[in-house]
Amino acid sequence: MHRRNFLKAAGLSAAAVPITTPAIAQSSPPIQWRLTSMFPRNLDTIFGAADVFAKAVYEATDGRFVIQTFAAGEIVGGLQAVDAIGNGTVEMGHVAPGGYVGKDPTFAFGMTVPFGMNARQTNAWLYHGGGMDLMNEFYAKHNIYALLGGNTGAQMGGFFRREIKTVDDLKGLKFRIGGLAGQVVAKLGVIPQQIAAGDVYSSLERGTIDAAEWVGPYDDEKLGLHKVAPYYYYPGFWEGGPALMFLFNKAKWEELPKAYKGAAVSAAALANVDMTAKYDARNPAGLRKLVASGAQLRAFSQDVLEASFKVANEVYEEISSKNEDFKKVYQSYREFRNEEYLWWQVAEYTYDNFMIRTRARG
Amino acid sequence: MHRRNFLKAAGLSAAAVPITTPAIAQSSPPIQWRLTSMFPRNLDTIFGAADVFAKAVYEATDGRFVIQTFAAGEIVGGLQAVDAIGNGTVEMGHVAPGGYVGKDPTFAFGMTVPFGMNARQTNAWLYHGGGMDLMNEFYAKHNIYALLGGNTGAQMGGFFRREIKTVDDLKGLKFRIGGLAGQVVAKLGVIPQQIAAGDVYSSLERGTIDAAEWVGPYDDEKLGLHKVAPYYYYPGFWEGGPALMFLFNKAKWEELPKAYKGAAVSAAALANVDMTAKYDARNPAGLRKLVASGAQLRAFSQDVLEASFKVANEVYEEISSKNEDFKKVYQSYREFRNEEYLWWQVAEYTYDNFMIRTRARG
């Protein structure tokens, strides 16, 4: 905005900007908030986004707006975060909203859905395609206001004890996979499993489950799952570009001084772009380590992808027929996605295509 | 304006204003800066990033740090911005650093080079691959400190009066293309042209030039070049993910109060992710308009891409042999890019591939 426009927006004449110290004190009270993350601290990139946010807010407000970050379980469990924020137990949180589809499947669009948009497209929809407004309309029903706060990029499909070549191989597969993705693959015979992160390794080792999905190479490598389930599948078609959200208790957000809101908006954008950049910077080395220690890369077959796409669309139609919020957001989301990929196939995709093939040839 | 009137204008009653602590006033002095953009105002997305930045800084500092934005030519021309910032004529600017390769080709890495990284990879290198530190080491020699401030995503290859099927078709082609990209394609016989933006249409119409590249569909459509040069090529292999930078006079940056630096760091990240999201949101409709009004999409042939890749690497070797700064940054850049594409081909690319093919089939 041009300076003159600022001044107009602030209701001031361009002739003078008399900035007085008393006004400053009024608008900059010391505030302390608590943020509950949905993640454990050892997921340093995804948990770390909460610290990136809190630090940026602290710095821009000269230490007057302090946000303490807490890992899942330190105040409430990850799946209780939405309730705790809505009822004011904590002022805010940092979550993957797809975890709350049991509450309402519409939450998923604040993260992603199977065969959704990639990370940049998700930013485009949320920031400039009306997505964030739609989501905030929905979140308001839960007494929440949200800012976009991260994206992991396309995830991997997880670790499998045996190869999955056809749709038939999915039948009876005990797969640790949650949310809408679990509902989708269940239609193909998968038996979705809910297992605490700490128990995944032993469950795979014992054969209690057949497969487990997590994030991408950087986070996946730390779990060591490839040692007990060596087939490492891609792409994670249920998380092509999952977003994370900073959720605020709506009344608490609205009470914030204007400058603190401004600091939070910028800090959330920083946390968003920073998280994707960190994953993008760290995933190549994670992938090399995994492959060097025995992970065997496998692409999901076209058969599996196409069957999954078909049942995903069925799930969306079924939910839309029963849930007006979901229907409304899904329509916006789907239309935007289809236009994005119309453009994506032109410059972005052909550019990456050439670079990948050229690299492969040395 | 009297203090009392200001307080009234700001919605505060003078009686209600408490006395402030000196510490706050000390660290939050009113500051007014000027920002010179390298771009004209009608490129609303790319010029607009300067306004996004200035507004975010204004809001987070409660209106105490005011940055006026000026289009190219209003204070200095776009190509003079680096000098004007370095010598303190203006405190800061917003630029595509590739425009300064005539000064030193190392500037290019603050934007991109032919066959460089895509937008997300560029963020990853700059934020978390040591890239920004390397660039700031270099910028310091020009009395400049920089923050990453935007990315257009992969650009188009521009408008051509006739089809380009083989490398031979490039010989003698008068192409409006600048910077390192011009040097690269010159090796294949292209005659790079420098023509002011306002003269491109008439030059193409008269046949003074044969081709011109600009940005992507959203910006390109406004120029109407497809009416006089209908073949619209992709990808713009010289701009696979070009970054923009906010450049600061180094001494002025260092003098800033800590909180204002904090606000600027977050605001620059906001401007960065916001610009890419805007282009991604707007390009699909731009592409549809262009095609509907006669633009004919053409992919550069493998022949053209491979020959260009080969001569690009030759150019980098030649410059590296003469320029230590370029050599040092190029080594970091190239190694990072190659690792990025190792990972990219796994989840991101295969995901986009499936989504594009599925969309094409309806």
Side-chain angles (χ1 to χ4, degrees), chain A residues 1 22 27 62 115-116 120 128 154 274 280 288 302 338-341 348-349 351-353 357 359, chain B residues 17 27 51 62 115-116 120 128 154 274 280 288 302 338-341 348-349 351-353 357 359:
Chain A
M1 198 188 291
S27 58
D62 228 358
F115 303 102
R120 275 175 48 186
H128 294 291
D274 184 76
D280 288 344
R288 280 195 183 277
Q302 285 306 303
N338 293 350
E339 286 299 291
E340 283 300 296
Y341 273 115
E348 290 292 342
Y349 181 77
Y351 185 75
D352 285 342
N353 176 286
R357 282 185 299 127
R359 189 192 170 284
Chain B
V17 174
S27 59
D51 284 337
D62 227 0
F115 303 102
R120 274 175 51 186
H128 293 292
D274 185 77
D280 288 344
R288 279 195 184 277
Q302 286 307 303
N338 293 350
E339 286 299 291
E340 283 300 295
Y341 273 114
E348 290 292 341
Y349 182 77
Y351 185 75
D352 285 341
N353 176 286
R357 282 185 300 129
R359 188 191 171 284

Side-chain angles (χ1 to χ4, degrees), chain A residues 53-323:
Chain A
F53 172 81
K55 182 168 174 279
V57 166
Y58 181 89
E59 287 178 352
T61 62
D62 228 358
R64 296 194 287 275
F65 185 10
V66 176
I67 298 164
Q68 282 180 273
T69 60
F70 294 88
E74 292 179 358
I75 302 174
V76 293
L79 293 178
Q80 282 75 55
V82 159
D83 290 335
I85 298 159
N87 70 26
T89 302
V90 293
E91 289 85 359
M92 67 174 296
H94 186 236
V95 307
Y100 307 105
V101 293
K103 221 173 161 62
D104 188 319
T106 314
F107 273 103
F109 294 108
M111 181 179 170
T112 192
V113 295
F115 303 102
M117 292 185 250
N118 69 25
R120 275 175 48 186
Q121 295 166 352
T122 300
N123 283 342
W125 178 65
L126 288 166
Y127 286 135
H128 294 291
M132 211 60 226
D133 290 341
L134 280 173
M135 290 317 297
N136 270 320
E137 228 177 77
F138 167 73
Y139 292 141
K141 299 180 182 183
H142 296 269
N143 201 24
I144 279 172
Y145 179 80
L147 294 173
L148 174 53
N151 200 303
T152 65
Q155 297 195 3
M156 292 292 286
F159 299 94
F160 292 69
R161 282 164 56 96
R162 58 175 196 268
E163 287 188 84
I164 303 297
K165 292 183 173 169
T166 68
V167 177
D168 280 346
D169 295 334
L170 294 173
K171 293 208 167 66
L173 188 87
K174 286 172 280 175
F175 186 12
R176 183 186 186 269
I177 183 171
L180 273 185
Q183 287 182 48
V184 166
V185 292
K187 288 206 161 218
L188 299 174
V190 167
I191 306 163
Q193 306 287 306
Q194 305 290 340
I195 292 175
D199 299 330
V200 174
Y201 188 97
S202 62
S203 302
L204 271 176
E205 193 175 30
R206 290 197 311 270
T208 312
I209 60 173
D210 304 304
E213 68 96 35
W214 193 239
V215 185
Y218 175 72
D219 287 334
D220 291 357
E221 190 269 333
K222 291 187 269 182
L223 296 185
L225 303 183
H226 57 292
K227 290 171 196 155
V228 286
Y231 300 105
Y232 191 31
Y233 272 87
Y234 64 87
F237 53 81
W238 50 90
E239 287 173 315
L244 291 294
M245 291 277 164
F246 291 108
L247 304 184
F248 301 83
N249 176 278
K250 198 163 177 290
K252 288 282 178 189
W253 170 261
E254 284 162 6
E255 282 166 15
L256 273 186
K258 214 176 146 202
Y260 294 6
K261 281 186 192 163
V265 167
S266 290
L270 170 67
N272 180 19
V273 67
D274 184 76
M275 184 196 291
T276 310
K278 265 189 195 135
Y279 272 120
D280 288 344
R282 294 169 177 181
N283 276 330
L287 185 64
R288 280 195 183 277
K289 275 195 210 170
L290 278 161
V291 170
S293 62
Q296 298 194 40
L297 281 172
R298 292 288 185 277
F300 283 122
S301 65
Q302 285 306 303
D303 180 38
V304 166
L305 291 172
E306 284 172 18
S308 301
F309 183 72
K310 186 167 169 288
V311 291
N313 288 337
E314 288 169 16
V315 167
Y316 305 146
E317 293 309 320
E318 286 161 22
I319 302 174
S320 291
S321 72
K322 295 177 290 196
N323 183 320

Side-chain angles (χ1 to χ4, degrees), chain B residues 29-186:
Chain B
I31 293 183
Q32 289 207 23
W33 273 13
R34 299 192 304 170
L35 176 158
T36 184
S37 170
M38 197 185 193
F39 310 101
R41 265 174 221 282
N42 66 345
L43 285 179
D44 58 346
T45 302
I46 204 163
F47 174 83
D51 284 337
V52 168
F53 172 81
K55 181 168 175 281
V57 166
Y58 180 88
E59 287 178 352
T61 62
D62 227 0
R64 297 193 289 275
F65 184 10
V66 176
I67 298 163
Q68 285 180 268
T69 60
F70 294 89
E74 292 179 358
I75 302 174
V76 293
L79 294 179
Q80 281 76 55
V82 158
D83 290 335
I85 298 158
N87 69 27
T89 302
V90 292
E91 289 85 358
M92 68 173 298
H94 186 236
V95 307
Y100 307 106
V101 293
K103 221 172 162 60
D104 187 319
T106 315
F107 274 102
F109 294 108
M111 181 179 170
T112 192
V113 295
F115 303 102
M117 292 185 250
N118 69 24
R120 274 175 51 186
Q121 295 167 352
T122 300
N123 283 342
W125 178 65
L126 288 166
Y127 286 135
H128 293 292
M132 211 60 225
D133 290 341
L134 279 172
M135 290 317 296
N136 270 319
E137 229 178 76
F138 167 72
Y139 292 140
K141 299 181 182 183
H142 296 270
N143 202 24
I144 279 172
Y145 179 79
L147 294 173
L148 174 53
N151 200 303
T152 65
Q155 297 196 2
M156 292 292 286
F159 299 94
F160 291 69
R161 283 164 55 97
R162 58 175 196 269
E163 287 188 85
I164 302 297
K165 292 184 174 170
T166 67
V167 177
D168 280 347
D169 294 335
L170 294 172
K171 294 209 166 65
L173 188 87
K174 285 172 280 175
F175 187 12
R176 183 186 185 270
I177 184 171
L180 273 185
Q183 286 181 48
V184 166
V185 292

